[in-house]
Amino acid sequence: MTKLRGMRAQKAGEILENHVETTLRAYGFFQVCSQVPKKQKRELLLNSILLPKRYGKQVFIGSGIYQTDIYVDFYIVGLPRMPSGLIIECKWQESGGSVDEKFPYLNLNIQYSYPAPAIVVIGGDGMRDGAIKWLRERERDNHNLLAVQSLERFIAWSSRYL
């Protein structure tokens, strides 16, 4: 039963990522380096100047606060207001689980290890009471955390900033 729940959660998370990717494409972004090894994607993404609006998926950005490798869901390049790029992380939780328990770790990595500002897109109804509120409050003290948004709010934000 637990394995089946985990597979469903993973699939739902992929669907959330697909919606974010569809939004990026709708605003003229192109995926680059999809066939490149993860650890080489960032360099290629940052240097693919022939495509002004581009993104990579599962991009290695370096070491995190525990000195382990960090891969981000989306790394976007080509936003005039964000010369270092924009990172988008997608977090889905439909029922009780551990995604929201990882928010402090995510917040600290965004603050100290991410090379660009980040947005966290949240989906599902399974987060603990207060978890999303806590993460949204970090927007005030984490210079790199731009926003914590539902998919609907991300789409609205995209119409203004992408």
Side-chain angles (χ1 to χ4, degrees), residues 3-146:
K3 187 174 181 180
L4 180 60
R5 231 184 301 156
M7 289 172 35
R8 285 185 187 152
Q10 181 179 353
K11 187 62 163 174
E14 289 172 10
I15 292 170
L16 177 61
E17 289 178 14
N18 289 340
H19 283 296
V20 169
E21 187 169 17
T22 298
T23 303
L24 294 176
R25 289 183 178 178
Y27 287 101
F29 286 83
F30 292 92
Q31 182 180 10
V32 297
C33 56
S34 62
Q35 303 301 319
V36 174
K38 287 180 181 181
K39 288 206 172 179
Q40 297 172 8
K41 286 183 179 184
R42 182 174 170 211
E43 187 70 29
L44 182 61
L45 177 65
L46 295 175
N47 292 311
S48 297
I49 58 175
L50 295 178
L51 286 173
K53 294 175 81 175
R54 58 199 182 273
Y55 69 93
K57 292 172 60 174
Q58 294 302 310
V59 177
F60 172 73
I61 60 165
S63 295
I65 61 170
Y66 296 159
Q67 300 306 306
T68 56
D69 292 351
I70 297 179
Y71 298 87
V72 296
D73 293 328
F74 296 93
Y75 197 134
I76 302 166
V77 177
L79 296 167
R81 295 179 182 179
M82 296 177 209
S84 61
L86 174 68
I87 294 171
I88 300 175
E89 293 283 19
C90 299
K91 300 299 176 196
W92 178 271
Q93 188 161 313
E94 188 59 40
S95 59
S98 65
V99 169
D100 55 7
E101 293 175 354
K102 298 173 185 171
F103 284 172
Y105 173 76
L106 174 64
N107 177 61
L108 289 172
N109 276 324
I110 290 171
Q111 186 170 8
Y112 296 113
S113 303
Y114 281 31
I119 291 176
V120 179
V121 179
I122 302 287
D125 296 328
M127 306 286 176
R128 287 177 183 82
D129 291 340
I132 295 172
K133 181 179 184 257
W134 179 88
L135 189 58
R136 283 188 173 128
E137 288 172 353
R138 302 293 65 80
E139 294 171 20
R140 292 182 303 209
D141 52 32
N142 183 342
H143 67 283
N144 242 6
L145 180 60
L146 295 182

